[in-house]
Amino acid sequence: MSSESGTPGDRRKIGPFADDLSAFMDGFHGDVILPSDHRYEDARQIWNGMIDRSPAIIAQCDGTADVVDAVTFARNHDLQVSVRGGGHNVSGSAICEDGLVIDLSQMNAVFVDPETKRARVQGGATIGDVDRETQLFGLATALGVVSATGIAGLTLNGGIGHLRREYGLSLDNLASVEIVTADGTVRTASPDEHSDLFWAVRGGGGNFGVVTSFEYQLHEVGPEVNALFVLHPGDEATTALHAFHDYTKSAARESSVLAFTIVVPEMEEFPESAWGEPAVAFLGCYDGDRTSASEEFSALRDATTPIADLSGPMDYTTLQTMLDEDYPDGLRYYWKATYVEGLSDDIIDLIERYGYDSPSSLSTVDIWHLGGAISDVAPDETAFWHRKSRYMITFEANWEDPAMDDENVAWVRDGIAELRGMAGTSGAYGNFPGFGEDPSQTMFGSNYDRLAEIKAKYDPENLFNLNQNVLPAE
Ligand code: FAD
């Protein structure tokens, strides 16, 4: 499908390859959007309002053949490429400056086979797209906790959600992927075909090609699960966080809990007297029977006299959308994470210090309890290296005012730097990468060299480099 062209903006950006562009656009089934197109402004926006980039071409693909054409066009014209799945990575790596965006947002179909308990999901789908279709059959796979997030970036870099300790990372639930590699070839990667590539895409991010579909293993989940959502007062944060630490030492595998600092929002679910006050929240899911749930979560609910306790049976899809409105499109965001072995007194102190002294009342410091099924897999079994850490701590700066950009970014960087200076901390997570400034080795650990060999085989010219980039081995 074509787009208007010929404005000065178009000529500046596409002049060098204008002759071949018409043929590319004529053959394309999706939309090719150039700077002159009235849809361009919308098409270049992503979730993070900090990102303001102007690509030369946005190729909104309609299917795998469009992806092949876009990869081939970019390679033949030596264009910078970015790949957009759900457009939710905080680094903004979905959008490039002056190059070609391979945009999969229109490719969001989900096909569920309840017999085999498998789902085939196109590369532009969101978590909400998948949950909606799989829950029709009482099934789900392990994804993240906000429904607008893209499954592509989430899965390729890990995938940590409410089912993580029971069913592992999102990538642990992959049975296969269909991927278009840099030479324009469509390949299946699975344990039986291109198994090296299958190893690499499970944790290696977008380094190895454009994944046009993901095949997930599904599990019986819902329609109701046991949700935990309790807010404890900030002046008892130390007591609450120590209760969380104790709880995690013997938590059930079917239970995954996240603790975070928060300023109580002005919402009717919370008492008005607490609005604007600091608090500690526990949010979690127990995928077991109801009676054991009240026992499982009692220490967390009773840690103090809570501000609010909304725990109880809840539709799985309700739990999966509970945080959605906290992360609107276009707000300003900067997030980073690191892994920790244990929650020492010093680490708990740091979480409280930063959590209650952030430049924005929308920001949080989060502790994700890991382990369980995530740790069953050896660090070199997939490209995802950080398997053995018991927690991941994330600094999430969320703010509105562009004049506060520097303060918010500095708050995250200072907090993470101080944390990484403490004993028992390591690594980084590709789904919370700041602006991608940490060396890729921080994420891939000792898997880096094997990733570099596989990169040299499937993407020797490093066409796919807007990611936590792995350089092809020489
Ligand atoms: P995009 O920005 O579209 O893509 C990011 C990168 O992934 C691209 O630059 C590219 O390198 C690669 N990529 C994307 N699509 C493809 C594809 N089809 N083929 C090849 N490469 C591709 N993470 C968690 O683990 N758990 C959570 O609960 C969680 N919650 C979140 C909540 C919110 C509100 C947000 C914004 C993020 C959350 N994240 C979470 C982080 C999230 O997993 C990452 O931001 C993830 O990268 C988003 O994927 P995406 O497809 O939307 O990203």
Side-chain angles (χ1 to χ4, degrees):
M1 195 180 283
S2 67
S3 157
E4 308 136 40
S5 66
T7 67
D10 282 355
R11 280 197 294 279
R12 182 174 58 80
K13 287 197 181 285
I14 66 176
F17 44 86
D19 289 350
D20 296 338
L21 188 60
S22 305
F24 169 63
M25 289 168 73
D26 285 349
F28 206 78
H29 278 208
D31 290 328
V32 178
I33 299 177
L34 304 180
S36 57
D37 194 303
H38 68 277
R39 297 165 297 180
Y40 179 80
E41 276 309 308
D42 274 351
R44 76 183 185 90
Q45 303 301 328
I46 49 174
W47 164 79
N48 188 355
M50 288 280 278
I51 309 300
D52 178 16
R53 296 197 190 119
S54 302
I57 306 172
I58 300 172
Q60 291 186 335
C61 302
D62 195 32
T64 301
D66 277 354
V67 174
V68 170
D69 284 0
V71 167
T72 306
F73 187 81
R75 195 189 59 246
N76 289 344
H77 295 86
D78 208 13
L79 292 176
Q80 172 66 58
V81 171
S82 67
V83 182
R84 176 182 180 145
H88 267 58
N89 195 291
V90 73
S91 69
S93 56
I95 300 288
C96 53
E97 185 68 41
D98 282 343
L100 187 153
V101 178
I102 301 178
D103 180 338
L104 274 72
S105 55
Q106 307 303 310
M107 291 174 58
N108 49 20
V110 179
F111 302 99
V112 179
D113 181 347
E115 294 293 311
T116 58
K117 294 198 178 127
R118 293 270 170 97
R120 168 73 60 186
V121 181
Q122 283 189 303
T126 63
I127 291 174
D129 295 329
V130 179
D131 285 340
R132 180 169 159 77
E133 297 298 330
T134 55
Q135 277 292 282
L136 276 180
F137 304 97
L139 300 170
T141 195
L143 298 170
V145 304
V146 175
S147 75
T149 313
I151 53 103
L154 174 90
T155 304
L156 294 169
N157 289 299
I160 297 175
H162 288 308
L163 301 176
R164 61 191 177 277
R165 287 173 38 79
E166 188 176 15
Y167 296 122
L169 302 167
S170 303
L171 59 81
D172 293 327
N173 292 273
L174 276 183
S176 70
V177 296
E178 180 187 82
I179 181 167
V180 178
T181 46
D183 59 358
T185 304
V186 183
R187 302 173 200 264
T188 297
S190 72
D192 306 317
E193 288 177 78
H194 303 294
S195 56
D196 54 350
L197 190 55
F198 189 54
W199 178 87
V201 296
R202 287 176 295 158
N207 270 290
F208 300 94
V210 184
V211 177
T212 44
S213 69
F214 296 78
E215 186 189 11
Y216 293 97
Q217 184 66 51
L218 306 176
H219 314 277
E220 286 173 23
V221 176
E224 276 190 347
V225 291
N226 302 290
L228 169 78
F229 189 41
V230 57
L231 255 59
H232 294 288
D235 56 10
E236 293 189 68
T238 310
T239 305
L241 289 172
H242 279 288
F244 173 73
H245 186 207
D246 288 344
Y247 163 77
T248 57
K249 290 174 188 163
S250 58
R253 264 173 91 92
E254 298 80 13
S255 160
S256 299
V257 177
L258 165 69
F260 51 100
T261 61
I262 187 177
V263 172
V264 181
E266 294 184 15
M267 294 170 72
E268 62 182 23
E269 289 90 336
F270 308 120
E272 209 174 321
S273 56
W275 290 355
E277 294 296 320
V280 169
F282 297 145
L283 173 67
C285 172
Y286 175 71
D287 182 30
D289 68 73
R290 209 171 284 182
T291 326
S292 349
S294 61
E295 206 174 303
E296 176 70 19
F297 286 147
S298 61
L300 293 173
R301 296 175 71 184
D302 301 339
T304 76
T305 304
I307 294 170
D309 187 352
L310 310 177
S311 312
M314 190 182 281
D315 280 351
Y316 177 68
T317 48
T318 304
L319 179 65
Q320 287 286 91
T321 50
M322 197 169 161
L323 298 179
D324 282 12
E325 64 186 65
D326 296 336
Y327 300 103
D329 287 353
L331 209 72
R332 306 178 86 75
Y333 300 99
Y334 182 80
W335 300 355
K336 284 185 91 143
T338 201
Y339 299 96
V340 310
E341 300 304 331
L343 296 177
S344 63
D345 290 352
D346 286 348
I347 288 178
I348 288 179
D349 174 66
L350 177 142
I351 290 166
E352 289 180 41
R353 268 192 290 121
Y354 278 88
Y356 300 131
D357 190 21
S358 75
S360 166
S361 63
L362 302 175
S363 299
T364 62
V365 181
D366 311 343
I367 316 168
W368 299 76
H369 183 208
L370 305 177
I374 297 173
S375 302
D376 289 347
V377 180
D380 61 356
E381 211 171 309
T382 68
F384 188 92
W385 177 250
H386 295 282
R387 292 280 183 179
K388 300 299 176 191
S389 301
R390 290 180 56 204
Y391 310 91
M392 179 175 73
I393 296 183
T394 308
F395 280 67
E396 275 191 14
N398 313 316
W399 71 102
E400 288 169 357
D401 182 1
M404 294 295 287
D405 287 356
D406 289 348
E407 286 88 337
N408 281 285
V409 170
W411 174 75
V412 174
R413 288 188 174 158
D414 290 350
I416 285 285
E418 194 174 330
L419 189 57
R420 286 183 180 162
M422 291 178 163
T425 66
S426 63
Y429 179 41
N431 279 327
F432 301 141
F435 294 139
E437 61 272 14
D438 289 337
S440 296
Q441 281 86 345
T442 318
M443 195 164 305
F444 300 125
S446 299
N447 282 335
Y448 186 86
D449 290 348
R450 185 169 173 201
L451 284 166
E453 296 290 340
I454 298 170
K455 179 82 172 174
K457 181 171 167 189
Y458 292 101
D459 184 15
E461 303 301 325
N462 202 7
L463 180 70
F464 301 108
N465 59 54
L466 267 191
N467 42 48
Q468 285 297 145
N469 199 224
V470 173
L471 296 176
E474 307 244 311

